Amino acid sequence: MYEYRAPRRDMQFVLHEVLQAEQALAALGRDDLNRELIDGVLEEGAKFSESVLSPLHWQGDQEGARWERGAVRTPAGYKAAFDAFAAAGWMGTHCDEAFGGQGLPYMASIAAGETFVAGAMAWRMASGLTEGAVAALQHGAAPLQQTQFIPKMVAGEWTGTMCLTEPQCGTDLGLMRTRAVPSADGTYRLSGTKIFITYGEHDLTDNIVHLVLAKLPDAPGGTRGISLFVVPKRRLLADGSPGAANGVDCERIEHKMGIHGSPTCVMRFENAEGWLVGKPHGGLAVMFIMMNHARLGVALQGLALAERAWQAAALYATDRLQGRSLRGPVAVAQPADPLHVHPDVRRMLLTMRAFVEGGRVLLYQAYQWQDTLDRHPEAAVRQQAESLVGFVVPVAKAFLTDMAMEVTGMAVQVHGGHGFIRDTGVEQLMRDAKITCLYEGTNGIQALDLMGRKVIGSGGATVQTLLAEVQRVMATAPGAANVPAAWTAAVHRLAQELGELTTVVAGRVTHDTAEVGAAAHDYLNHAAYTLLAWCWWRTVAALEQDPGIATNESLVWTAGKRATARFFFERLLPRAAAHAAAVRAGAAGLMEVPAEALLA
Amino acid sequence: MRRILVGIKRVVDYSVRVRVKPDGTGVALDGVKMSINPFDEIALEEALRMKERGEADEVVAMSIGPEEAQQQLRTALAMGADRAILVKSDTAVEPLTAAQVFTAIARAEDARLVLVGKQAIDDDANQTGQMLAALWGRPQATFASKVEVLGEVLRVTREVDAGLETLEIDLPAVVTVDLRLNEPRYVKLPDIMKAKKKPLDVKSFADYGVEPTERLKVTLYVAPATRSKGIMVKSVAELVDVLKKKGLA
Ligand SMILES: Cc1cc2nc3c(=O)[nH]c(=O)nc-3n(C[C@H](O)[C@H](O)[C@H](O)COP(=O)(O)OP(=O)(O)OC[C@H]3O[C@@H](n4cnc5c(N)ncnc54)[C@H](O)[C@@H]3O)c2cc1C
């Protein structure tokens, strides 16, 4: 079993060389956040992750969360790590300084954020959800509730949850049954059952702040009738400290495929006291503000698990000796060559690396757009960023989590039969990765969101904004002239094709609305490969722009990067053509077969 | 003002597998992760704890090194040092030069205590603290595993070959610290932000009246020989036999 090492060099390369983090932050008026500070934040986050979190990743999986008569015990070490994390101030990374946070844009801290997830994803969800809940309260809660809850959550004294799902209500929130009845004193009484609630109950803190979606008695039907409430596990005493139980109980926790350390709770609310967040029937509006952040957070989980998988595979392919190179022995003094001499193993290693490192550029870029949307002083720039974020969020969420399944699966494959055995640790990565394709909106729903709401819904405006940004960056990148012409042409060709596919689907939708759903998955993937090609193009341009001192060390590193770029353009990018063909095939082949015949 | 000075050296991170340059002129440093010498980090942690207990008023981190050593000093400031001094040097610094500079700073700053690591993990010289004490003309306690302030006296437990030795020395003094003294804290995010605003003075050797001279000449760096494969012996008798043949017993 190996431990996680933060890929500092690649993270810094992506932040500074590819994405020019300093300039991006300066454009937000944060020229105080210079490279030294960004690297300092990464370094301290990485240290914490490597020494405190990484061991919890395995231990938490072995031990799992336990339920006993309503109480939930997290795995050994979870609480100590949580307290240390909170004491170090990480819970308040993004929150406003007025509430005790640091108010940092993502670009200043996203690399540290990646190391926390990679360190121990199941553990990290408690603090990650708390950050999300804080953001929701900041957007929609009344001042009194903000002062009651937010500082405690930022300090790590209390955690937060998101309670949407019910047994009959998963993707379709219109089916929600949990009720909220107004009291004379302005509070509400909530009753109903929520399932699958991550960290709904635990022993990390003495209170838990639930953000609960429910229906008011006069609610209109469907998703338009949903309101958001803040409901603490224990009621607050006059001095703000936790008092009596509030009618919020954990009935059991689920036994599941992965993230064993994270308790997934069935929560029963019985006349629990809560306060409205946002407007009556306006719960989803607040949730939508949170949605981008939460979905990028899940994309980050995909990336982080894939990085861990790639590290494990790279080490194993170096240490494990089997067979001889087809070109003759390489490790002559050894009984056999290391695995990485074999073309098929190289195919897997390069696939993993191309997805992980290209995915990192894509995701950090998405976070940078999110920063612009959240914080840029000019409305016109924010508006453009809104289009870019709207497009890239479902792409990043779905693609990077599907990618995580492929990459963690490959890590098992590189380990051979040993990968199937628990001791090597890679099968856990595969089990943990699957949930990222499911929650925070399944990947199918992400594709629908992209194709329907974002692309067709905007009359194609979002994709045009995106493609213009793709072209703009390529026209102005300093190293552009030195990128192989074939790769530049490939990106342009794909960008053009994405525009064409948009027109094709838009044309068909006027005849058959099912065309949106039929095209969605493949359209999203085509867009993802186009964006990934752009990211690899930018990577190569950045390498060309600053050759640095041509020392052995840096030559080896850049040679690896270039080889990975080449592999991507030659062997992974052709997958885009298959997705384009599938989009063009249209809905008929999916929809014409009657259900009886389909399921016969 | 009860002031503690702490020596902070920028070295290759302990986790890096160092490689000797092919031409043998040194160790490859490009793109290699650099950190605070782990012993120095422990020295700083001890100084910060003293300040937190009210046994000191100010902690000053000092380093001699390239411009980039500011990174390590910023980390020291984020850990809690009040201010920092970088004495710029673009070449490697020998222990005697470091001791001369630290002595000058100790005098200029009217230090009550100077804490340094017992050695730096790059050159492992284990000399700077001792030379500093001699040049400064103050008592020293080396390899500290426990430090207690008793008014104007310091009680120091030292790790020596025979076990533990306890000394009492008068302040001002020099203490070099060992690994078991404490476990350095994790840096807090708000403190990283605050560290940006703390003073960091960049000075030259001339500012402290020191003229660095090269007394040592390194002619060649070579990597240690890799361990060759061992053999399994069946009995103690066979082991003794093998050792005898190798001239080892
Ligand atoms: C470990 C874990 C943790 C979770 N944590 C939380 C949490 O903290 N809070 C919370 O509220 N929820 C949580 N969830 C719930 C999670 O978000 C839901 O499971 C998810 O949204 C899918 O809902 P469902 O399971 O009911 O699937 P369903 O909605 O039944 O979907 C089944 C399948 O049908 C597809 N599908 C459904 N509707 C459509 C449609 N309109 N068009 C196309 N395809 C469709 C889906 O993509 C999926 O493939 C968690 C779940 C798990 C397993």
Side-chain angles (χ1 to χ4, degrees):
Chain A
M1 198 99 77
Y2 67 97
E3 290 299 340
Y4 169 72
R5 293 279 306 154
R8 293 169 176 77
R9 179 154 191 175
D10 195 56
M11 289 171 158
Q12 287 169 350
F13 171 77
V14 173
L15 286 171
H16 303 302
E17 255 70 56
V18 183
L19 299 177
Q20 272 89 39
E22 270 186 352
Q23 282 102 303
L25 287 162
L28 308 176
R30 295 302 303 265
D31 49 9
D32 58 322
L33 304 174
N34 57 12
R35 181 172 184 153
E36 186 180 276
L37 182 115
I38 297 169
D39 290 351
V41 172
L42 163 57
E43 180 55 34
E44 296 310 325
K47 259 191 224 164
F48 187 84
S49 173
E50 289 164 351
S51 50
V52 179
L53 300 183
S54 184
L56 294 181
H57 174 71
W58 319 115
Q59 290 162 19
D61 182 62
Q62 300 287 313
E63 188 181 334
R66 302 282 162 80
W67 182 94
E68 225 171 86
R69 278 168 289 147
V72 171
R73 187 157 43 79
T74 55
Y78 265 41
K79 178 160 172 55
F82 186 85
D83 290 344
F85 187 79
W90 292 109
M91 304 269 296
T93 304
H94 304 294
C95 180
D96 285 357
E97 284 161 279
F99 292 112
Q102 294 304 313
L104 285 183
Y106 284 117
M107 279 310 261
S109 62
I110 185 58
E114 184 190 323
T115 71
F116 298 145
V117 181
M121 171 174 147
W123 172 89
R124 168 63 176 154
M125 293 179 75
S127 52
L129 278 159
T130 306
E131 285 173 29
V134 163
L137 291 169
Q138 259 189 282
H139 281 297
L144 178 63
Q145 276 78 54
Q146 291 189 340
T147 48
Q148 276 179 323
F149 293 111
I150 297 179
K152 299 260 198 222
M153 297 164 82
V154 168
E157 287 178 49
W158 302 346
T159 64
T161 73
M162 292 287 171
C163 305
L164 288 74
T165 308
E166 298 176 11
Q168 78 296 340
C169 158
T171 300
D172 188 352
L173 294 174
L175 301 173
M176 193 165 291
R177 284 195 197 136
T178 299
R179 301 269 145 203
V181 181
S183 304
D185 61 359
T187 64
Y188 294 81
R189 294 301 170 127
L190 279 87
S191 301
T193 297
K194 294 286 180 181
I195 62 166
F196 294 166
I197 305 309
T198 302
Y199 283 93
E201 176 59 39
H202 59 73
D203 56 1
L204 302 175
T205 56
D206 62 6
N207 208 358
I208 301 172
V209 182
H210 300 285
L211 284 176
V212 187
L213 285 180
K215 291 194 153 183
L216 291 166
D218 60 344
T223 53
R224 242 166 270 141
I226 296 173
S227 308
L228 182 65
F229 300 87
V230 53
V231 183
K233 168 183 164 184
R234 293 165 67 189
R235 294 194 186 172
L236 305 190
L237 300 172
D239 66 354
S241 62
N246 188 25
V248 182
D249 290 295
C250 174
E251 291 192 328
R252 63 184 168 88
I253 63 174
E254 308 292 346
H255 300 280
K256 50 195 193 298
M257 176 191 257
I259 55 167
H260 289 159
S262 166
T264 303
C265 307
V266 176
M267 302 300 298
R268 196 160 39 99
F269 294 83
E270 252 186 71
N271 275 321
E273 185 183 60
W275 292 269
L276 188 66
V277 178
K279 299 200 177 74
H281 319 311
L284 284 189
V286 182
M287 278 296 179
F288 268 122
I289 297 172
M290 312 270 321
M291 204 96 89
N292 286 340
H293 299 264
R295 290 182 171 174
L296 287 174
V298 177
L300 188 64
Q301 294 182 331
L303 175 67
L305 290 172
E307 165 70 39
R308 235 185 142 132
W310 148 245
Q311 288 185 15
L315 280 179
Y316 195 75
T318 310
D319 291 345
R320 173 78 171 169
L321 309 177
Q322 284 297 292
R324 283 296 186 190
S325 166
L326 295 168
R327 290 180 173 166
V330 172
V332 190
Q334 307 278 13
D337 284 337
L339 293 179
H340 64 65
V341 303
H342 306 300
D344 190 56
V345 175
R346 288 184 158 232
R347 171 188 64 79
M348 292 190 275
L349 293 172
L350 282 161
T351 301
M352 300 170 90
R353 188 166 170 191
F355 279 143
V356 168
E357 293 181 0
R360 181 168 292 122
V361 177
L362 176 62
L363 188 58
Y364 287 14
Q365 172 66 82
Y367 272 110
Q368 194 247 305
W369 287 335
Q370 181 72 52
D371 275 343
T372 307
L373 172 57
D374 291 345
R375 296 166 193 261
H376 200 282
E378 291 165 43
V381 180
R382 285 201 303 273
Q383 206 184 339
Q384 191 216 16
E386 191 172 4
S387 282
L388 296 171
V389 169
F391 191 97
V392 80
V393 162
V395 174
K397 195 282 184 183
F399 185 80
L400 294 182
T401 57
D402 283 345
M403 172 284 266
M405 281 311 291
E406 184 173 348
V407 168
T408 53
M410 275 186 175
V412 172
Q413 196 71 20
V414 167
H415 281 69
H418 297 272
F420 201 71
I421 306 300
R422 280 210 154 182
D423 303 358
T424 53
V426 282
E427 58 82 40
Q428 185 198 336
L429 297 172
M430 201 174 154
R431 287 187 286 105
D432 285 355
K434 187 62 210 180
I435 189 59
T436 63
C437 308
L438 298 168
Y439 55 24
E440 218 26 83
T442 62
N443 286 357
I445 294 306
Q446 303 300 321
L448 212 51
D449 175 55
L450 176 73
M451 190 81 260
R453 256 189 79 225
K454 306 292 176 53
V455 175
I456 303 297
S458 73
T462 47
V463 66
Q464 271 159 20
T465 308
L466 178 89
L467 293 177
E469 179 64 7
V470 165
Q471 307 290 359
R472 187 193 67 76
V473 169
M474 290 176 71
T476 52
N482 298 323
V483 181
W487 299 355
T488 307
V491 183
H492 287 311
R493 182 166 39 70
L494 276 166
Q496 196 190 339
E497 187 170 50
L498 186 60
E500 288 163 16
L501 294 175
T502 309
T503 315
V504 168
V505 179
R508 285 181 180 157
V509 168
T510 53
H511 309 295
D512 179 4
T513 41
E515 293 284 355
V516 170
H521 167 83
D522 290 290
Y523 183 90
L524 183 144
N525 276 277
H526 187 281
Y529 279 103
T530 304
L531 284 171
L532 222 54
W534 181 54
C535 292
W536 271 110
W537 186 95
R538 295 174 76 182
T539 297
V540 177
L543 290 175
E544 295 295 345
Q545 163 206 334
D546 178 23
I549 332 142
T551 49
N552 280 339
E553 214 70 27
S554 61
L555 283 177
V556 169
W557 192 77
T558 51
K561 270 276 184 216
R562 281 210 181 77
T564 312
R566 176 178 173 181
F567 180 87
F568 176 81
F569 279 101
E570 287 181 359
R571 288 175 168 255
L572 293 178
L573 199 53
R575 292 184 187 185
H579 292 297
V583 171
R584 291 202 161 95
L590 294 173
M591 303 311 287
E592 272 171 13
V593 56
E596 313 85 76
L598 170 70
L599 306 169
Chain B
M1 170 83 85
R2 296 165 302 168
R3 184 174 286 136
I4 305 181
L5 300 184
V6 183
I8 297 290
K9 188 175 185 185
R10 173 184 166 92
V11 298
V12 174
D13 189 79
Y14 74 94
S15 66
V16 173
R17 243 189 267 170
V18 287
R19 265 179 257 167
V20 173
K21 288 188 202 162
D23 61 3
T25 56
V27 167
L29 289 181
D30 55 285
V32 166
K33 183 170 176 243
M34 305 294 285
S35 297
I36 298 180
N37 175 37
F39 292 99
D40 298 350
E41 207 177 348
I42 292 167
L44 176 59
E45 176 66 34
E46 197 64 18
L48 296 174
R49 290 185 190 185
M50 286 178 179
K51 188 183 165 196
E52 284 160 3
R53 286 194 300 260
E55 295 161 1
D57 303 308
E58 191 185 43
V59 175
V60 181
M62 54 182 183
S63 187
I64 312 168
E67 191 70 39
E68 296 81 51
Q70 288 198 25
Q71 287 163 12
Q72 281 64 45
L73 287 174
R74 284 283 167 216
T75 304
L77 293 170
M79 278 179 73
D82 298 292
R83 60 191 172 89
I85 301 169
L86 171 65
V87 179
K88 269 192 67 180
S89 168
D90 291 324
T91 52
V93 176
E94 292 177 12
L96 182 56
T97 307
Q100 286 169 335
V101 171
F102 285 174
T103 305
I105 298 179
R107 292 204 170 110
E109 297 282 349
D110 190 22
R112 188 164 185 256
L113 173 63
V114 180
L115 283 167
V116 293
K118 73 167 181 179
Q119 68 201 68
I121 62 168
D122 49 3
D123 294 334
D124 283 330
N126 187 350
Q127 296 171 4
T128 303
Q130 294 89 329
M131 289 178 174
L132 159 63
L135 291 172
W136 192 21
R138 296 302 311 170
Q140 61 174 297
T142 54
F143 317 153
S145 63
K146 192 174 174 197
V147 181
E148 297 157 276
V149 182
L150 312 168
E152 287 307 303
V153 170
L154 219 50
R155 181 183 296 155
V156 181
T157 307
R158 310 179 56 226
E159 297 197 1
V160 292
D161 289 345
L164 297 178
E165 176 187 62
T166 303
L167 297 180
E168 285 187 5
I169 56 175
D170 291 333
L171 289 166
V174 176
V175 173
T176 81
V177 309
D178 215 323
L179 280 185
R180 271 167 288 270
L181 179 58
N182 61 46
E183 205 174 301
R185 66 196 59 197
Y186 289 104
V187 173
K188 295 185 167 71
L189 180 63
D191 294 339
I192 301 176
M193 308 297 289
K194 281 184 211 141
K196 283 189 306 191
K197 300 192 185 94
K198 291 184 178 175
L200 193 166
D201 291 326
V202 181
K203 301 277 196 183
S204 65
F205 284 118
D207 290 333
Y208 291 105
V210 175
E211 209 175 299
T213 44
E214 227 178 71
R215 295 174 184 81
L216 301 171
K217 208 164 195 73
V218 179
T219 48
L220 186 67
Y221 281 85
V222 283
T226 49
R227 241 180 72 197
S228 54
K229 225 174 155 202
I231 52 163
M232 294 295 275
V233 292
K234 288 199 182 62
S235 64
V236 177
E238 192 187 336
L239 174 66
V240 173
D241 218 41
V242 174
L243 289 176
K244 271 192 182 141
K245 273 192 200 128
K246 286 188 178 264
L248 295 170

